[in-house]
Amino acid sequence: MAVSVSTPIEVTAAGLDSLETPWLAIPFHEDDVTASLAVLDEASGGALSRARASGEARGRLYEVTVLPVVRHDWRIGRLALVGAGPRASCDAAVLRRVATTAALAARQRRVTRAAFLLRGIRGASAAWAGDLDAGEAAQAVAEGLTLSDFTIGSYKTGDPDPTPLEQLQLSLPGAASAVLRAVEERRRRGRRLGECTNHARALANEPGNSLTPREMAARAAAIVDQPRLRLDIFDEKRIAELGMGLLLGVARGSHEPPRLIVMQYAPEGAVTGPELGLVGKGVTVDTGGISIKPAENMDRMKDDMAGGAAVICAMRAIAALGAPIRVVGVVPATENMPGGQATRPGDVLRSACGKTVEVLNTDAEGRLILGDALWYAQQLGATHLVDVATLTGAVVVALGKLTAGLFGAPQPWVDTVRAAADRAGDRVWPMPLVPEYREQLKSEIADFSNTGGRPAGSVTAALFLQEFVENRPWAHLDIAGTAWSEEARPYQPKGPTGAAVRTLAELAFGPAGEWPA
Ligand code: BES
Ligand code: MN
Ligand code: ZN
């Protein structure tokens, strides 16, 4: 099985008078002074200043204005001003989205080659200089450009729409060679991270009838085929031998057997030091089981494996880019179906760590399978844990669809994960693990139940997971709201977002020497 490769991105220091491209995208700020863009204004025969005077181009975020080039000695076909807001608030996160917007706009206009002017960075030639770090900006733009390379209509039989890009250029006119070297290195990283995000989006987009747990494991094998990365796929027999009663309890209702996808990455020589443990929910289809979901929107639950996809695809990025620490990834993959053998409300399951759970609602299945997977990641030696899951509707009520819930302890570890998410451009917001709410999980027959009722539903879900963490830093990302975009935006078409892939990868490159014990 081949893993697709995204459009190459070439860094060029060519001056605008020698750059050859049909489409040059330029971040355009609300407070840009026309003088700083004089060369572009002139090249467009004054169209730039007219567009600005008429209010057509105001520099509002992600607004696209296409201008002609009238200079016959230039080899640029069109200028695309892409709104980048006020100069001062244009950081890497904005730039990433500006870049995606620029590339998507090109694709929609059937342009197949595009260049992006990297402006506002330190070390650029005078006309294009600013305060942004060149490497950081280059990575963000490379990620953003690459993120344009995804379409939701993978089963459509007609021509691909919009047209894919064949060539991308990162343009730094007249930049010094030291800047170009920094940019080159981070461009590579950005493209890789963008590509891995797209792989996760493709997995999450895949319907349940094609992406069964077995198929998810097969796709994982192709994706993590990387040096220094070992993959083991456990079948239902091996899962039973490990005593994973929670994972088996969820899988019982389906004819499709579960799989446990286990990935271990070790850089050369790293035998001591922290080991990052990544755990992702891999429910390939969530009908709710016997506590069946209403028909409306049940189809959306094909992406209930987005957390697992994030872990698999982050592992690819981690190995491909050679992270300096050991990382283990564990993804429990199963369907949640209401078959005749299904677990029923009132049933009691025994987890691999020995704790017992009374299942009060079979639709709270994610926390069950994650309980066993968290235990296994620790068995493999993970010292620092992060799990990612489309876990609760409650987190969508609390934080909406643009921000994932971040839970965990101790605080310095949560802060570390939050900083990685900020660098990655994944929006997260801290949520409290109120210890008193654990009462809501009380069971009369077992150690605890799997549901805590409506109040603070995302918090009690996180408290349930915490029961399976033995005395080490752990963080939990609830991406139920952010994994899928219900609305099309200029930088994010409707569909899977690849949430958390880049956060997890960034984390593996962070200063692990400073991690809390
Ligand atoms: N996969 C769902 C959570 C979900 C809901 C994801 C909406 C994306 C959008 C999860 O398995 C689930 O069903 N959670 C229940 C838990 C409840 C039964 C305690 C929920 O949130 O309703
Ligand atoms: Mn569910
Ligand atoms: Zn679910």
Side-chain angles (χ1 to χ4, degrees), residues 281 286 293 300-301 303-304 336 361 363-367 390-394 396 450-453 480-481:
K281 173 178 175 181
D286 180 12
K293 287 180 181 295
R300 269 283 330 284
M301 285 299 128
D303 81 338
D304 210 18
N336 186 23
N361 188 323
D363 199 10
E365 84 296 343
R367 62 196 75 183
T390 46
L391 201 63
T392 66
V396 191
N450 75 330
T451 45

Side-chain angles (χ1 to χ4, degrees), residues 165-182:
L165 286 164
E166 281 152 22
Q167 186 209 56
L168 285 164
Q169 285 178 294
L170 208 51
S171 153
L172 290 100
S177 58
V179 177
L180 289 176
R181 268 196 306 278

